[in-house]
Amino acid sequence: MKKSWPLWEVFIRSKSGLDHKHAGSIHAADAEMAIENARDIYTRRNEGVSIWVVESKHITASDPDDADALFEPAKDKIYRHPTFYNLPDEVKHM
Amino acid sequence: MDANTPLYSFLLQLGDNALILGHRLGEWCGHAPEMELDIALTNIALDLTGQARALYQRATELNAQGKTEDDLAYLRDVPEFRNVLLVEQPNGDFAHSIARQFYFDAFNYFFHEELTRSSDAWLSGFAVKSLKEITYHLRFSSEWVLRLGDGTATSHEKMQTALDDLWYWTGEMTTPSDLERQMAADAIGPSLQQIKSRVNDRVNDVVSMATLQLPTGTWMQSGGKVGRHTEHLGFILAEMQFLQRAYPGNEW
Amino acid sequence: MKEQNLEAHFQAKIDAEIKIEPKDWMPDEYRKTLIRQISQHAHSEIVGMLPEGNWITRAPSLRRKLILLAKVQDEAGHGLYLYSAAETLGADRGDLVLQMLNGKAKYSSIFNYPTLNWADIGAIGWLVDGAAITNQVMLTRTSYGPYARAMVRICKEESFHQRQGYEIMLAMSRGSEEQKQMAQDSLNRWWWPSLMMFGPHDGESSHSEQAFKWKIKRKSNDELRQQFVDATIPQAGLLGLTVPDPALRWNAERGHYDFSPINWDEFWNVVKGNGPCNRERIAARQKACDDGAWVREAALAYAEKKEQKQIGARQTAAA
């Protein structure tokens, strides 16, 4: 098989008000075809109202080896979470 | 045909176009040039077969005589089918299937655009729904005419050959039959003369954008609308109707 | 980290039920096993379109025709989900397809059996998809993230496949005498090949042990096969059809059905290419690939031209 169509990543918004979410990938020769293939492959059962496609080669992903440096530091910053604060019961909803 | 109303015959004609073209597209399933295209062509087949089913169901509502949608699809013989000759032409190579689809979609799009204004409430509702599907079909086939026409030298040649080969089946679509004239007069169906120039303009635009030439021949084949078909329809029906014919009256 | 530590870390994640994701370190052998298994699974979906696609043009009613079109289309979709999962491991889909065409990669042998009457479409949905689902439900918990997610999607869609198949069997086994015969004939022909779908006995499967350790596989072939038999026998009873196995009976002590030994000779022969349709199936896929080459090339050439035009237009605008 000669050169195949490039790979694209597909992101689907399942309904208005929700974020686009990664659904998988497809092959397509151009952007229009990528949208159409994504539609046929990932929304056959009415799973989407909007599609993003991006050629996979344009995605930069974080390196799992950097995970500690990137994500561990956020772990102990518990003061960012509302449950960190003790308020009297009289303050009902805050 | 029996003494059915013109509307009944009109519904059948629309249904037959959709059924036969859907059938042809179904033949691609598992054999398309790329797996994504298996899915795409099947999707169009599903839309068309769904449209045929809706139209036949409506026809049986208007003129029950105990007939079902499946009786209409599976128990009529060649002369009773009213589809245009274009849709029964064989798949050929991918360029031929795309040319057939594109010629038909361009017609079908403007036809249904007008049909949304039908005085028949059911038909106008049907057209509104179908037009969404057909809009996508036309987009799909137009894009492929562009890709093949303006792709490689090989694809250009194949696409041009396909446009040439299928050209003389296209005139029939926009040439009104007696039935269609009457439907237009009753404001039930579109006036084909009216949509003809829109169809031609669209076909011209896409074909020239694709760096292709539209054939100039003016002699057109016709006959499908009065039940005079090419040899191909008989084979389609032989295959499609096999089980219903071999085991009459069975439920599947 | 040293290789040894990496491997220990990897295994610890698996033991803790943490999914492995594409960019995570993994042993080469894990990657290879997955690519082989996922692509084999993908090939099965794609080749699986052929025996059923066979009947699209002969489906006996408009309703059945729509269902079958949608179903076969789903198979193509499932193939693509799976190829897409395999590609996250660095495999190239074109290469994988080539391996299938030249016989280096296998697909499920079940699709090397012919579809001879309409009931076969029912039997494929009921038995073949039923057996596949048994396996796939297990695989939704497999250790590789993209594979597990593809399986979740596939399982959701497959249950329609099995139900439509059973519905066909139901209609035919309650239909005319000829239809009943077709249904029984179809069960006779598909029963044993369906049981073979789970693969050889646990002791004879070359990849089993490691696949368990890595949680690629979570149940043994025999366990899954038994699960399928136990679930399917009552369904056959409901249809009033006879399962073609005189030794089949409920074993109260085991709490399972006992069944006859499988004809492994036939199994290995079909795997090796001697099934009734092996050559035909590959030839059909090869033809689609060959006949489609100019189409795929044209689309690429067109995309390239368009991009050049856009670059040209941008340069003109900037000048």
Side-chain angles (χ1 to χ4, degrees):
Chain A
M1 190 173 275
K2 287 199 198 154
K3 218 173 106 192
S4 41
W5 292 344
L7 195 64
W8 301 68
E9 298 302 320
V10 178
F11 301 83
I12 309 267
R13 186 201 296 286
S14 58
K15 61 179 187 186
S16 286
L18 297 181
D19 290 322
H20 284 77
K21 201 175 144 211
H22 186 241
S25 62
I26 48 110
H27 285 262
D30 56 46
E32 285 79 18
M33 198 200 287
I35 292 277
E36 287 157 19
N37 289 351
R39 169 236 193 210
D40 285 348
I41 292 157
Y42 292 105
T43 67
R44 288 197 304 289
R45 286 174 172 74
N46 214 2
E47 293 101 330
V49 296
S50 164
I51 299 173
W52 289 348
V53 290
V54 57
E55 238 190 288
S56 307
K57 68 177 183 196
H58 296 309
I59 297 220
T60 309
S62 63
D63 188 332
D65 286 348
D66 297 339
D68 286 356
L70 287 171
F71 309 116
E72 284 291 321
K75 270 196 185 151
D76 62 359
K77 310 235 177 354
I78 46 176
Y79 42 80
R80 286 200 204 272
H81 298 279
T83 46
F84 179 73
Y85 301 92
N86 290 316
L87 299 186
D89 289 348
E90 290 75 33
V91 186
K92 281 178 181 146
H93 301 291
M94 183 179 282
Chain B
M1 295 281 285
D2 40 14
N4 280 309
T5 63
L7 177 56
Y8 178 85
S9 304
F10 189 56
L11 289 165
L12 253 51
Q13 181 184 317
L14 300 190
D16 293 348
N17 277 336
L19 179 73
I20 300 301
L21 186 55
H23 184 91
R24 281 297 193 206
L25 290 171
E27 292 174 355
W28 270 109
C29 195
H31 309 278
E34 184 53 289
M35 291 175 270
E36 279 84 356
L37 283 170
D38 276 313
I39 302 186
L41 295 173
T42 311
N43 242 359
I44 300 176
L46 278 169
D47 286 344
L48 290 169
T49 312
Q51 289 171 14
R53 194 177 177 206
L55 288 158
Y56 292 153
Q57 278 173 355
R58 179 62 184 161
T60 61
E61 279 168 27
L62 293 183
N63 191 349
Q65 294 180 332
K67 278 194 179 156
T68 67
E69 60 185 66
D70 288 330
D71 293 341
L72 293 176
Y74 293 92
L75 298 179
R76 283 180 302 148
D77 201 354
V78 171
E80 292 165 283
F81 271 78
R82 290 291 185 268
N83 58 278
V84 291
L85 302 176
L86 176 70
V87 297
E88 67 199 43
Q89 297 311 306
N91 285 344
D93 66 7
F94 188 65
H96 280 79
S97 286
I98 287 298
R100 184 186 61 199
Q101 193 66 37
F102 171 64
Y103 282 144
F104 184 74
D105 291 342
F107 161 76
N108 213 25
Y109 175 80
F110 292 106
F111 181 90
H112 279 78
E113 198 182 52
E114 279 302 309
L115 195 63
T116 59
R117 286 185 271 279
S118 171
S119 63
D120 182 274
W122 187 90
L123 261 180
S124 75
F126 167 82
V128 168
K129 181 175 176 291
S130 301
L131 188 61
K132 293 176 191 162
E133 296 171 343
I134 296 162
T135 303
Y136 185 83
H137 303 170
L138 179 58
R139 167 183 162 155
F140 176 86
S141 57
S142 302
E143 281 176 6
W144 272 105
V145 171
L146 290 175
R147 287 191 190 103
L148 299 181
D150 197 13
T152 62
T154 308
S155 72
H156 178 87
E157 197 189 313
K158 284 180 191 280
M159 194 64 232
Q160 185 63 58
T161 305
L163 288 179
D164 295 349
D165 285 352
L166 293 172
W167 175 244
Y168 78 176
W169 306 113
T170 59
E172 185 183 23
M173 290 188 289
T174 47
T175 307
S177 64
D178 290 346
L179 172 66
E180 286 166 329
R181 276 206 190 85
Q182 191 186 338
M183 286 292 98
D186 297 350
I188 292 175
S191 150
L192 297 189
Q193 284 104 325
Q194 228 175 58
I195 64 168
K196 189 172 183 170
S197 61
R198 279 177 250 169
V199 176
N200 289 345
D201 287 350
R202 174 63 71 93
V203 170
N204 266 310
D205 283 353
V206 175
V207 166
S208 65
M209 246 196 323
T211 71
L212 296 160
Q213 299 282 332
L214 214 54
T216 48
T218 51
W219 174 252
M220 292 290 165
Q221 291 291 338
S222 62
K225 288 176 181 179
V226 292
R228 209 173 53 245
H229 289 274
T230 61
E231 290 175 344
H232 305 295
L233 187 63
F235 289 102
I236 293 179
L237 298 188
E239 198 170 339
M240 184 171 87
Q241 299 180 337
F242 153 66
L243 281 169
Q244 289 275 357
R245 300 282 191 185
Y247 305 97
N250 285 358
E251 294 282 331
W252 302 90
Chain C
M1 260 194 274
K2 282 205 200 103
E3 177 93 11
Q4 238 177 346
N5 292 341
L6 284 168
E7 190 139 5
H9 180 67
F10 170 83
Q11 189 62 49
K13 271 169 87 174
I14 298 227
D15 294 342
E17 299 289 337
I18 297 170
K19 296 276 184 244
I20 307 301
E21 293 295 341
K23 294 193 80 174
D24 293 345
W25 185 90
M26 61 188 83
D28 277 349
E29 207 41 47
Y30 179 81
R31 186 184 299 275
K32 271 191 219 153
T33 305
L34 275 173
I35 291 176
R36 190 187 61 239
Q37 185 176 324
I38 298 172
S39 63
Q40 194 168 310
H41 196 157
H43 302 328
S44 305
E45 300 280 356
I46 298 301
V47 177
M49 295 171 73
L50 297 171
E52 289 181 286
N54 231 342
W55 280 87
I56 288 175
T57 51
R58 290 177 289 172
S61 71
L62 294 174
R63 178 172 177 270
R64 290 290 175 209
K65 187 167 179 158
L66 286 169
I67 294 170
L68 185 58
L69 275 166
K71 200 223 154 183
V72 180
Q73 188 195 37
D74 268 355
E75 311 293 1
H78 295 174
L80 294 182
Y81 301 158
L82 287 158
Y83 283 125
S84 136
E87 291 196 279
T88 62
L89 290 157
D92 175 81
R93 189 174 94 183
D95 294 341
L96 296 174
V97 170
L98 206 61
Q99 284 168 16
M100 189 246 312
L101 293 177
N102 66 26
K104 264 189 225 147
K106 301 284 173 207
Y107 55 87
S108 180
S109 280
I110 192 84
F111 301 117
N112 291 317
Y113 290 88
T115 46
L116 302 178
N117 77 51
W118 173 251
D120 288 8
I121 300 305
I124 289 183
W126 172 39
L127 300 173
V128 176
D129 291 328
I133 293 169
T134 311
N135 192 37
Q136 287 162 353
V137 166
M138 165 192 81
L139 288 172
T140 60
R141 293 166 53 236
T142 195
S143 58
Y144 185 58
Y147 192 22
R149 291 192 287 276
M151 277 302 140
V152 169
R153 195 177 264 276
I154 289 174
C155 281
K156 268 192 215 158
E157 300 186 353
E158 283 279 351
S159 77
F160 130 61
H161 295 183
Q162 197 185 12
R163 290 171 71 103
Q164 66 85 33
Y166 194 71
E167 198 195 63
I168 290 177
M169 295 305 277
L170 212 51
M172 294 186 73
S173 59
R174 291 178 183 174
S176 67
E177 213 35 62
E178 287 128 324
Q179 284 177 312
K180 268 180 233 169
Q181 270 174 30
M182 285 185 223
Q184 182 62 54
D185 170 50
S186 172
L187 173 58
N188 292 348
R189 283 180 289 109
W190 290 95
W191 175 252
W192 288 108
S194 298
L195 295 197
M196 292 177 199
M197 279 176 73
F198 295 95
H201 286 310
D202 302 328
E204 289 153 34
S205 178
S206 46
H207 312 292
S208 266
E209 205 181 317
Q210 190 63 63
F212 272 111
K213 193 176 157 218
W214 282 334
K215 296 191 182 167
I216 294 175
K217 211 174 151 58
R218 314 193 62 132
K219 284 182 179 179
S220 77
N221 293 353
D222 287 328
E223 223 177 320
L224 289 166
R225 186 164 20 236
Q226 184 71 60
Q227 191 184 325
F228 172 72
V229 170
D230 291 348
T232 309
I233 299 303
Q235 295 165 359
L238 216 63
L239 293 172
L241 298 176
T242 311
V243 175
D245 180 359
L248 184 85
R249 57 183 52 84
W250 178 251
N251 182 329
E253 208 175 301
R254 287 202 310 127
H256 292 293
Y257 284 95
D258 289 337
F259 53 95
S260 301
I262 285 170
N263 181 349
W264 293 112
D265 209 24
E266 175 180 332
F267 172 79
W268 288 114
N269 262 295
V270 181
V271 169
K272 282 174 194 148
N274 296 325
C277 302
N278 293 58
R279 286 168 187 79
E280 234 175 288
R281 301 287 185 244
I282 289 291
R285 289 309 303 161
Q286 183 74 56
K287 186 173 188 311
C289 183
D290 294 346
D291 291 356
W294 68 272
V295 176
R296 297 190 300 272
E297 278 163 32
L300 278 177
Y302 175 76
E304 212 161 288
K305 279 188 201 172
K306 210 165 59 171
E307 207 179 307
Q308 290 305 324
K309 270 184 213 157
Q310 274 165 3
I311 293 171
R314 268 201 298 273
Q315 281 167 348
T316 318

